[in-house]
Amino acid sequence: MGSGDTLKLPVIDFTDLKLEANNPNWEAVKSQVHKALVEYGCFEAIFHKVPLDLMKAIFGALQELFDLPLQTKILNVSQKPYHGYVGQYPMVPLYESMGIDDANVYEKVESMTNIMWPNGNPSFSKTIQSFSEQLSELDQIIRKMALESLGVENYLEEHMNSTNYLLRVMKYKGPQTSDTKLGLSTHTDKNIVTILCQNEVEGLEVLTKDGKWISYKPSSPDSFVAMIGDSLHAWSNGRFHSPFHRVMMSGNEARYSAGLFSVPKGGKIIKAPEELVDEEHPLLFKPYDHVEFLKYYYTEQGQREQFALHTYCGV
Ligand SMILES: O=C(O)CCC(=O)C(=O)O
Ligand SMILES: [Fe+2]
């Protein structure tokens, strides 16, 4: 499995598409989304709603955040596993990250900001909140198209209301060598949909179903990576793929990235709609609670599993 140079993620243009307004391109883009989610579980989205100065501001804010002393950063703790500060892991020494729960809600962001900066930092809060809010429209467009394309749009409202937004921000130190070093280990995301963006330093790689690594290279300044997580894989009864991916780093420069994760709320049971279960598509996963699954995933056994969800609740 070498890194493929010629392979590329599908690119899908969301220009002028809105959640609430009709657009003649909706159907055509929807079928591209469907195809990409079935074949790759992932694609590059061109989405202009996040202005370039907000993109610049977000990477400035990330630098400011990760420049704080470690004693301060570890004060960002969360009840949910992997939602707080993560870093200083011997397996991935270049990596650190922080989670901001309900990042599209100003008061929620502000309470996290005030832990990091006891005297407040409203411009940080505003940047994080507006970025998350603007980008959440892309998440909602993709999920609407995904459900429509499966013919189960009658579940849309329930599906949308059962999630909240976690913004995870990442810093990967440059390894100070031209050799390639592991930034973040191979994994699948556990949530519904992830939307990623990065500063000018590349490193994200996505594994195809037939075992080839695609190195992601954004084709425009308005590019994001959209990716399916295990929850939507399970909910769609396997129709949509959730791809393995990792981050590989080389060189001197730090890589900053941000991911908007739509995450099932605690207590919500993930269960494939009956319309998606039939003789040809037998049920793949028993209904499960996402937060309970995460607790299992972050145990020692869960961490050793390549397909943790299969072991946890596979039929
Ligand atoms: O930094 C990236 O581009 C990827 C991060 C990632 O895969 C994750 O946080 O789940
Ligand atoms: Fe990921």
Side-chain angles (χ1 to χ4, degrees), residues 184 187-189 227 245 261:
L184 182 61
H187 65 281
T188 57
D189 288 353
M227 194 182 280
H245 54 285
F261 294 73

Side-chain angles (χ1 to χ4, degrees), residues 38 209 232-241 272 284-285:
V38 168
K209 281 183 171 175
L232 193 52
H233 172 70
W235 192 87
S236 68
N237 199 26
R239 301 299 201 289
F240 296 141
H241 179 58
L284 294 180
F285 301 96

Side-chain angles (χ1 to χ4, degrees), residues 82 95 97 168-172 184-185 187-191 194 196-198 201-205 216 225 227 245-247 255-259 261:
Y82 208 71
Y95 171 76
S97 88
R168 276 205 83 77
V169 296
M170 277 68 76
K171 179 185 180 182
Y172 305 84
L184 182 61
S185 314
H187 65 281
T188 57
D189 288 353
K190 306 293 171 247
N191 53 305
T194 305
L196 293 161
C197 66
Q198 59 180 32
V201 181
E202 283 155 17
L204 178 65
E205 301 187 356
Y216 168 62
V225 171
M227 194 182 280
H245 54 285
R246 67 182 182 191
V247 174
R255 176 170 188 270
Y256 291 91
S257 63
F261 294 73

Side-chain angles (χ1 to χ4, degrees), residues 31-156:
S31 80
Q32 292 174 40
V33 167
H34 180 83
K35 190 164 184 279
L37 295 187
V38 168
E39 286 177 13
Y40 295 89
C42 186
F43 57 85
E44 174 179 337
I46 299 182
F47 182 67
H48 301 293
K49 190 168 175 197
V50 186
L52 289 180
D53 56 349
L54 186 52
M55 292 290 274
K56 251 184 102 176
I58 195 90
F59 292 112
L62 295 199
Q63 186 161 2
E64 200 186 342
L65 179 67
F66 285 108
D67 280 349
L68 289 169
L70 183 60
Q71 310 90 280
T72 308
K73 290 185 280 193
I74 59 175
L75 297 176
N76 177 16
V77 288
S78 168
Q79 306 285 75
K80 295 182 206 155
Y82 208 71
H83 283 223
Y85 175 82
V86 176
Q88 323 302 319
Y89 286 170
M91 276 287 292
V92 283
L94 304 175
Y95 171 76
E96 56 181 336
S97 88
M98 297 249 232
I100 304 159
D101 245 324
D102 293 309
N104 55 324
V105 181
Y106 188 82
E107 293 70 36
K108 293 290 179 86
V109 180
E110 194 179 37
S111 61
M112 182 272 191
T113 303
N114 290 347
I115 297 172
M116 297 295 106
W117 290 278
N119 297 325
N121 188 344
S123 83
F124 178 87
S125 304
K126 194 67 212 135
T127 300
I128 294 287
Q129 188 273 333
S130 20
F131 175 79
S132 305
E133 185 179 303
Q134 309 286 324
L135 202 52
S136 71
E137 185 171 0
L138 180 58
D139 166 89
Q140 291 169 40
I141 292 173
I142 292 169
R143 286 159 68 191
K144 185 167 186 215
M145 287 181 167
L147 267 63
E148 283 182 8
S149 78
L150 295 173
V152 292
E153 61 269 24
N154 48 320
Y155 291 90
L156 192 63

Side-chain angles (χ1 to χ4, degrees), residues 264-270 288-292:
K265 291 178 187 160
K268 292 279 176 192
I269 301 300
I270 297 176
Y288 69 97
D289 179 321
H290 177 70
V291 176
E292 291 303 316

